[in-house]
Amino acid sequence: MKIFAVGMNYPEHNKSLHVPFSKPEVPVIFTKADSALLKDHKPFFIPDHLGRVEYETEIVVRICKLGKTVAERFAPRYYDAVTVGIDFTAREMQQKLRREGLPWELCKGFDGSAALGEWVGLEKFRDVQALRFHLDINGRTVQAGCTSDMLYTVDELIAYISRYFTLKTGDILYTGCPTGCGPVCVDDHLEGYLEDRKVLEFNCK
């Protein structure tokens, strides 16, 4: 299983990061190690050596078919379910790596950094590009977004990634986060919602 993720895919989030463009020339793609996956309500143990760790709430799609160099018009055939996930990020480390022009794996791909909710079949929704989602921490909504605001659509991302990596059944794709990222603390209780359906729930330790 491969874990793909997308950076800087929502314009308001890009503004908050003070990046010098509204839309990257091509999608910003990175990967996470398989040990990053956190699911089944297991707790997230905040690494004490990575500094400030922030949540990034995202729509995640599940690859359901082997594919290579997939044309955008055929991309919908290659994913069958969605959920809400969290791309945990060691923010201070990311800023340092970005300044130095270095890869993001250390700040993005550490153990437990890819929290994943329960899958919901695409047939439950009218349009993957019209999904609302939000994250509550300790009962308060801290981040919300809609896939209609994505700079690169799911189909565009599938087509682009498949030019470089063979997609395999069970691979997952984190599609980027809206503005509103913030830190997590020990004893925080996180709940992720896809439309009005709670699909993600766990504690930080």
Side-chain angles (χ1 to χ4, degrees), residues 43-190:
F44 173 60
F45 290 91
I46 302 173
D48 57 10
H49 63 292
L50 291 181
R52 178 187 175 102
V53 175
E54 295 190 352
Y55 56 81
E56 296 190 6
T57 313
E58 314 194 359
I59 290 294
V60 187
V61 299
R62 182 177 68 189
I63 303 301
C64 64
K65 185 177 179 181
L66 184 72
K68 176 68 175 175
T69 317
V70 176
E72 184 181 333
R73 66 183 183 278
F74 297 133
R77 302 179 183 179
Y78 289 83
Y79 57 98
D80 65 350
V82 293
T83 189
V84 171
I86 297 178
D87 166 23
F88 283 113
T89 303
R91 188 67 70 200
E92 294 157 332
M93 179 181 285
Q94 183 191 34
Q95 292 167 347
K96 181 177 185 293
L97 293 172
R98 182 183 284 125
R99 286 195 303 269
E100 297 175 359
L102 296 174
W104 290 3
E105 274 74 11
L106 292 181
C107 69
K108 287 279 196 178
F110 55 88
D111 288 354
S113 63
L116 186 69
E118 299 165 5
W119 295 110
V120 182
L122 281 177
E123 70 277 2
K124 302 289 186 182
F125 306 104
R126 179 180 57 84
D127 184 357
V128 73
Q129 292 304 146
L131 295 176
R132 296 192 176 277
F133 58 100
H134 69 272
L135 174 70
D136 289 0
I137 296 183
N138 303 327
R140 182 176 67 89
T141 298
V142 295
Q143 190 171 31
C146 183
T147 55
S148 61
D149 295 326
M150 289 167 57
L151 296 171
Y152 288 99
T153 66
V154 172
D155 292 350
E156 289 173 322
L157 294 171
I158 295 291
Y160 182 78
I161 291 170
S162 69
R163 290 165 53 187
Y164 301 92
F165 301 93
T166 298
L167 302 176
K168 294 185 177 181
T169 300
D171 288 348
I172 58 179
L173 170 61
Y174 286 69
T175 59
C177 76
T179 191
C181 302
V184 288
C185 303
V186 172
D187 293 330
D188 278 347
H189 182 66
L190 280 67

Side-chain angles (χ1 to χ4, degrees), residues 6-47:
V6 184
M8 296 180 282
N9 201 30
Y10 283 78
E12 293 302 316
H13 178 57
N14 293 348
K15 289 179 184 177
S16 72
L17 295 176
H18 306 292
V19 296
F21 51 77
S22 57
K23 182 177 182 178
E25 291 184 8
V26 295
V28 177
I29 305 298
F30 58 95
T31 60
K32 289 175 175 272
D34 57 2
S35 60
L37 194 62
L38 180 74
K39 59 181 183 177
D40 301 327
H41 308 292
K42 292 179 180 177
F44 173 60
F45 290 91
I46 302 173

